[in-house]
Amino acid sequence: MHVVLGATGNTGHVVAKTLLSRGQKVRVVGRSAERLQPLAAEGAEIFVGDATDGPALTRAFKGAESAYVMVPPNPSSSDFRAFQDRVSDAIAAAVQNSGIKNVVSLSSIGADKPSGTGPVVGLYNLEQKLNSIDRVNVLHLRAGYFMENTLPQVAVIRMVGSVSGPIRPDLKLPMIATRDIGAAAADALLLDEIQGKQTRELLGQRDIDYTEVATIIGKAIGKPSLGYIQAPDEQLRLAMMQMGMSANFVGLILEMAGALNSGYMKALEPRSASNTTPTSFETFVEEAFAPAYREQAAA
Ligand SMILES: NC(=O)c1ccc[n+]([C@@H]2O[C@H](COP(=O)([O-])OP(=O)(O)OC[C@H]3O[C@@H](n4cnc5c(N)ncnc54)[C@H](OP(=O)(O)O)[C@@H]3O)[C@@H](O)[C@H]2O)c1
């Protein structure tokens, strides 16, 4: 039995579906039985619980061999780092108390740093807590920058006519599609070869900067002259809060962007076949970004 946290989310649903399609027993965890229902229809066992609830997660992990764990985003939280620490405490307690043998955790590039990387500090803490539990095998997947982070640009393009954000226009980022992370996590659980405590970076198909991001999006949505503008933090702070994020969460996102821009937060492994994943940004735009853009335009 494999347990999957965040099973209705970007990475978790791919982990769960991949394992189910390979005939594995899967217990999916989320806050709503209704949202988990499509996975139950494919054969998963449902467990409704909150990721901050250690005793509930312990029950969810009981009797399972392995788990996929992640710290859910919570953009409206007024103290997101405290929320992350409550989740990583609950996960660590459940790993410790359930007797589970293998864990694959969703981490990030930059999780080697104890401070100065915004939300990624919460993943550093998750890694440290899991590494301190003796008998369990843990693989931390340190993912690059999600391609899905560009989806809010659907609204930005419609509002300001360009792609815009805090990242330097020429900063090459290892951008990855979340489905590739889910597939890699499922493979790691299936191969059952995690030994001790390990990290592995997942760096997407290639490194790509926001100038190229705008060019690829522009081509796909019929705006061939679409460009990228790096906006000042203060302007972005207001815009992101208008999108429903708390001031605290926005502050952390801007700290992370600064850490990426300065090179403090970066991938540590040289690119190789084992940390490169298949989905290109062009494919992501064709299959996810452009349809979302057309849908909003139609509405
Ligand atoms: N964005 C990036 O560039 C990047 C890069 C590297 C790593 N990461 C990390 O990736 C993770 C996000 O992964 P993802 O995109 O797969 O997540 P996601 O799709 O945003 O969310 C996963 C699921 O978590 C569930 N959830 C939310 N709050 C919960 C709670 N309190 N208790 C239990 N479940 C809860 C939600 O399901 P229900 O609503 O159904 O409960 C949601 O579908 C974060 O840890 C982030 O730091 C992000």
Side-chain angles (χ1 to χ4, degrees):
M1 169 79 79
H2 309 275
V3 180
V4 179
L5 291 194
T8 61
N10 293 319
T11 57
H13 93 273
V14 178
V15 178
K17 276 172 131 14
T18 307
L19 293 172
L20 288 167
S21 73
R22 310 264 181 93
Q24 302 287 303
K25 281 191 178 167
V26 181
R27 186 179 291 152
V28 289
V29 182
R31 292 166 302 173
S32 145
E34 201 185 336
R35 283 197 291 277
L36 292 167
Q37 201 50 51
L39 290 166
E42 292 183 38
E45 184 186 310
I46 284 180
F47 187 98
V48 176
D50 196 285
T52 56
D53 183 344
L57 289 191
T58 304
R59 290 195 299 280
F61 288 8
K62 269 267 161 45
E65 281 277 301
S66 71
Y68 173 72
V69 303
M70 45 90 63
V71 180
N74 189 352
S76 60
S77 167
S78 58
D79 189 349
F80 180 58
R81 288 278 307 96
F83 169 80
Q84 287 179 302
D85 287 343
R86 284 205 302 281
V87 173
S88 56
D89 281 344
I91 290 172
V95 168
Q96 177 88 54
N97 298 330
S98 64
I100 203 155
K101 286 212 295 248
N102 299 314
V103 175
V104 172
S105 85
L106 175 53
S107 184
S108 173
I109 60 165
D112 53 302
K113 305 278 193 307
S115 62
T117 58
V120 178
V121 174
L123 304 180
Y124 168 88
N125 287 345
L126 173 69
E127 287 195 8
Q128 299 301 313
K129 288 172 194 176
L130 291 174
N131 288 348
S132 72
I133 303 171
D134 274 345
R135 49 149 196 92
V136 67
N137 299 310
V138 187
L139 172 65
H140 305 291
L141 294 176
R142 289 187 175 165
Y145 185 95
F146 288 5
M147 292 180 187
E148 283 76 3
N149 295 346
T150 65
L151 285 171
Q153 297 295 332
V154 166
V156 176
I157 295 168
R158 287 167 46 73
M159 272 185 302
V160 302
S162 63
V163 175
S164 183
I167 302 291
R168 266 177 28 217
D170 60 345
L171 180 71
K172 296 275 185 208
L173 291 165
M175 283 201 196
I176 184 161
T178 52
R179 67 181 185 199
D180 289 355
I181 301 170
D187 280 349
L189 291 168
L190 280 164
L191 287 173
D192 193 22
E193 59 183 15
I194 311 167
Q195 292 287 332
K197 311 294 190 288
Q198 300 173 13
T199 61
R200 181 179 154 206
E201 291 185 346
L202 293 174
L203 304 179
Q205 185 253 358
R206 69 182 193 277
D207 292 358
I208 171 168
D209 62 35
Y210 259 96
T211 305
E212 194 182 351
V213 161
T215 304
I216 294 165
I217 291 174
K219 220 182 259 176
I221 62 170
K223 291 183 184 294
S225 60
L226 189 74
Y228 174 72
I229 296 172
Q230 182 183 2
D233 279 6
E234 285 324 303
Q235 192 179 321
L236 290 168
R237 198 180 297 277
L238 281 178
M240 290 199 274
M241 286 172 65
Q242 276 164 8
M243 289 163 78
M245 297 180 197
S246 71
N248 170 265
F249 191 81
V250 172
L252 292 169
I253 295 296
L254 292 175
E255 179 176 284
M256 181 180 72
L260 288 165
N261 285 338
S262 70
Y264 174 67
M265 174 175 160
K266 60 174 193 281
L268 303 177
E269 296 176 12
R271 184 172 282 284
S272 68
S274 77
N275 59 32
T276 296
T277 55
T279 307
S280 67
F281 191 69
E282 286 82 351
T283 301
F284 169 79
V285 168
E286 189 187 318
E287 293 180 3
F289 191 99
Y293 184 85
R294 283 193 290 271
E295 199 176 305
Q296 270 206 20

